[in-house]
Amino acid sequence: MSRLKTLTAEYRELKTRLEQGGGPDKVRRQHEQGKLTARERIEALLDQGATWFEIGLLVAFDQYEGQAPGAGVVTGVGRIAGRPVVVVANDATVKAGSWWPETIKKILRAQEIAMRQRIPIVYLVDSAGVNLPYQGGVFPGQYGAARIFYYNSIMRHYLRVPQIAAVMGPCIAGGAYLPALSDVIFMVEGTSFMGLGGPNLVKGATGQTVDAESLGGAATHTAVSAVAHYRAKDDRECLARIREYVARLPRTLRPPAPGGKPKRSPKDLYDLLPSDHRMSYDVRAVLDCVLDAGKLDEFQPDLAPEMICAHGAIEGRTVGLIANSRGVIKGRKTEGAAPKIGGIIYTESAEKVAYFIENADRERIPLLFVQDVSGFMVGTDAEHSGIIRAGARFVEAMATATVPKLVLTVNHASGAGYYAMAGQGFDPDFIVSWPTGRMGVMEGESAIQAVFGNEAAKPENAPAVDAMRADYEHQLDARFAAARGFVDAIVLPEETRDTLAFLLEATGEFTGPHIGAFVLPSQP
C-alpha cells in the first residue's frame, strides 16, 4: 500500500473516532435532555447534501489524555440557502461543552474567517462555560476568551457581518456576551439558560433562591428581560427558523461559474505520489486531478521550471497557481548550468514567482499555493546571486497580496520556503493538508546532521540520534500540525478538488482586500 493510502486510512479512522465527540453514552444523555448533538444541529441547519468544510477537527486530539476531542466545539464553513456561512457549535458531549484553551483558538479562527470573507456566522451555544482547571489558558491574555467578544464587536459595529446566536443549552457567565453581542438571539423552551450566574452562584452571592427557568430561561429572556429575540419549542424548530433568517439576508448574487471536470480522476492521486516522500513525482499529473480539464496556462514555463506559475480553473473559478515541481530539473545547455533540485527555491524562481503574484494581485485573481517545498537554496552560488534579496521579494509579494490565498500542502512544508509559499503566519484565507503533509524547519535527517555533524555515526550518540529522529517524525506528521491548528483541516485526496472549489466560492463573497484577520472599512 502506498504511503498516501496508508496515512489516509489512518486519518479516516481518527476522523471517525473524533466525530463521535464524547461517545455514545454522552450522546444518549444529550438526547434524553431533549437536545440534539452539535453535529446533528449542524446537519439540520445546513443545506442538505451541501459541502461542509470542518475546521480544526483534530485540534487537541493528542492532549488532555484524549478527553478533549475537537476541543469541545465544532467549527466550519457550510451553506444555508445556497450561501456560505460559518458555524460554531459547542459540543456538550465533551465536558458539557466547556471551554478549553484550544476552544478559544477554534472559535477565534472561525470568527476570523467570517470577518475576512464577510459571510454570516451562526453560533449554536450549549456550554457550561470555562473549563476551570484550565482557566489560565482561557481567561487572560490578548488571545484569551475576551478576544471572542472583541471580534463580536468589530463584526457588529464596523464590518456588518451578520451574527446569529442560538442558545440551545446553558450559556453562563462571560460566555453570555457571545450571544449578547450578536445581532439576534434565539432560545429554546425548556433547555436554554442564559445568565451571568446560575442558580447556585446566585444563592451563594445574594442568598436568593431561584430556579434556572425563572432566572434565565427562554421565556424570561424573550418576554421579561428582552435580551433574546426569538423563542422556539425545540432544537429543530430553532434551527429551521435560523435557516429562514439567513435566507432573507441580502446578498450580492453572482452568476454560477461554468462547470468543468478534471482531466484525471481525483482517485488517481493515490497512485501519483511516491511511497517515499523524498522521491520525485509529476506535479502536473497531480494538477490534472484538480484543475478543470487539467488545463494549465503556464507563465514563463521555460524559466525556473522548478517553480510552476500558471492560470487554471477549479469548477469554473479562475486561480493563479503556484506549485513546487519535484524532481531534478536539467540546467540550460547553452549556459552549461548545473541541474536544479525540484522543491528548492532558487534566486531566479523566487523572482519569477514574486512577479507572478504581483500580477495576480493587480488582476484580482485568487492564488492557490501547492506546497511541496524543502526551502531556499544555500551555498556560495546562491548567496552570490542574491538569494536573500530575491527571497525577501517573494515573501513580501505574497504577504502584501490582497487577493484570497489558499494553500494545499502535499508533502514538505519546510524552512523559509514554507513561509514564502503562504505559510500560516502570513494569514492565507485557508490552509489545508493531505495526510502526507510534513511541516517543520527541516527534515529529521537534516536536523541530525546540523546538530551532530560527523559525530552522528558514533555508537555512543546512537540513542540521542534515534530519539531526535523519532521526535522529528512525530512532529512532522500532518496530524501533529492539525492538532495544533497549524492547518485548518486535513483533506482526503479525492475530496481536494471539491473542497478547493467551495473555499474559492467562500473567498469570492468579499471583493475587498483579504489581508490580516480583517480590514476595517473607511470611516466617515
Side-chain angles (χ1 to χ4, degrees), residues 118 154-155 157-160 510 513 518-524:
R118 302 291 204 276
I154 293 295
M155 282 190 273
H157 192 75
Y158 291 116
L159 302 182
R160 306 293 192 265
F510 178 56
F518 57 85
V519 176
L520 292 179
S522 300
Q523 300 301 311

Side-chain angles (χ1 to χ4, degrees), residues 67-84:
Q67 297 302 304
V73 65
V74 183
T75 56
V77 186
R79 282 196 186 95
I80 296 177
R83 72 185 298 160

Side-chain angles (χ1 to χ4, degrees), residues 485-496:
F486 299 157
V487 297
D488 288 319
I490 292 177
V491 296
L492 303 176
E494 65 270 26
E495 296 176 356
T496 302

Side-chain angles (χ1 to χ4, degrees), residues 2 9 87 99 122 193 248 296 301 318 355 372 375 381 395 426 459 463-464 478-479 489:
S2 72
V87 182
W99 288 4
V122 179
F193 173 82
R248 69 170 175 257
L296 203 63
T318 299
Y355 191 92
D372 194 346
D381 290 345
V395 169
F426 293 90
R479 289 165 292 191

Side-chain angles (χ1 to χ4, degrees), residues 157-460:
H157 192 75
Y158 291 116
L159 302 182
R160 306 293 192 265
V161 172
Q163 298 180 87
I164 300 97
V167 179
M168 309 183 81
C171 179
I172 299 172
Y177 288 113
L178 187 148
L181 288 166
S182 298
D183 298 318
V184 292
I185 302 174
F186 291 77
M187 294 188 73
V188 180
E189 295 175 359
T191 58
S192 293
F193 173 82
M194 180 167 50
L196 295 183
N200 291 339
L201 182 60
V202 169
K203 176 70 173 177
T206 68
Q208 183 181 15
T209 300
V210 62
D211 64 88
E213 188 63 30
S214 300
L215 179 63
T220 295
H221 282 312
T222 54
V224 180
S225 72
V227 169
H229 309 99
Y230 301 100
R231 188 167 78 232
K233 65 180 181 180
D234 57 27
D235 277 12
R236 292 198 179 276
E237 181 183 296
C238 179
L239 296 165
R241 294 183 67 179
I242 293 173
R243 283 182 53 80
E244 293 172 357
Y245 188 93
V246 173
R248 69 170 175 257
L249 291 173
R251 180 189 183 196
T252 302
L253 293 175
R254 294 175 178 80
K261 292 183 178 180
K263 184 177 180 179
R264 299 180 61 155
S265 168
K267 293 183 179 180
D268 290 351
L269 291 167
Y270 287 102
D271 299 318
L272 292 174
L273 245 61
S275 57
D276 188 330
H277 64 87
R278 295 167 295 185
M279 302 298 290
S280 62
Y281 61 93
D282 185 359
V283 71
R284 288 176 175 80
V286 169
L287 297 175
D288 282 344
C289 302
V290 177
L291 300 176
D292 291 356
K295 187 176 180 182
L296 203 63
D297 186 11
E298 288 199 48
F299 174 82
Q300 293 185 321
D302 299 319
L303 183 75
E306 67 277 4
M307 291 295 299
I308 296 174
C309 297
H311 292 96
I314 302 175
E315 292 189 8
R317 299 181 186 278
T318 299
V319 292
L321 185 134
I322 299 163
N324 305 106
S325 182
R326 302 297 298 195
V328 177
I329 313 296
K330 293 181 179 180
R332 292 195 191 97
K333 292 182 179 179
T334 55
E335 300 175 11
K340 293 181 178 178
I341 303 170
I344 301 291
I345 301 173
Y346 295 80
T347 301
E348 192 175 48
S349 49
E351 294 282 359
K352 167 183 167 179
V353 179
Y355 191 92
F356 181 78
I357 290 173
E358 290 166 353
N359 261 2
D361 195 41
R362 283 188 286 268
E363 295 165 353
R364 309 305 302 156
I365 294 174
L367 293 165
L368 170 61
F369 294 81
V370 181
Q371 287 184 347
D372 194 346
V373 59
S374 299
F376 282 84
M377 190 59 186
V378 296
T380 305
D381 290 345
E383 298 296 353
H384 290 183
S385 68
I387 187 71
I388 294 176
R389 181 189 63 249
R393 187 181 170 211
F394 184 173
V395 169
E396 183 180 19
M398 175 275 303
T400 58
T402 60
V403 292
K405 294 187 281 284
L406 307 182
V407 180
L408 168 64
T409 303
V410 173
N411 264 335
H412 309 91
S414 302
Y418 161 70
Y419 292 159
M421 292 289 286
Q424 189 188 35
F426 293 90
D427 277 331
D429 291 69
F430 295 99
I431 180 168
V432 300
S433 175
W434 281 352
T436 47
R438 298 170 66 83
M439 187 181 297
V441 174
M442 61 184 69
E443 282 291 325
E445 296 306 319
S446 299
I448 289 168
Q449 185 62 35
V451 172
F452 292 94
N454 295 331
E455 305 290 310
K458 290 187 175 181
E460 60 268 28

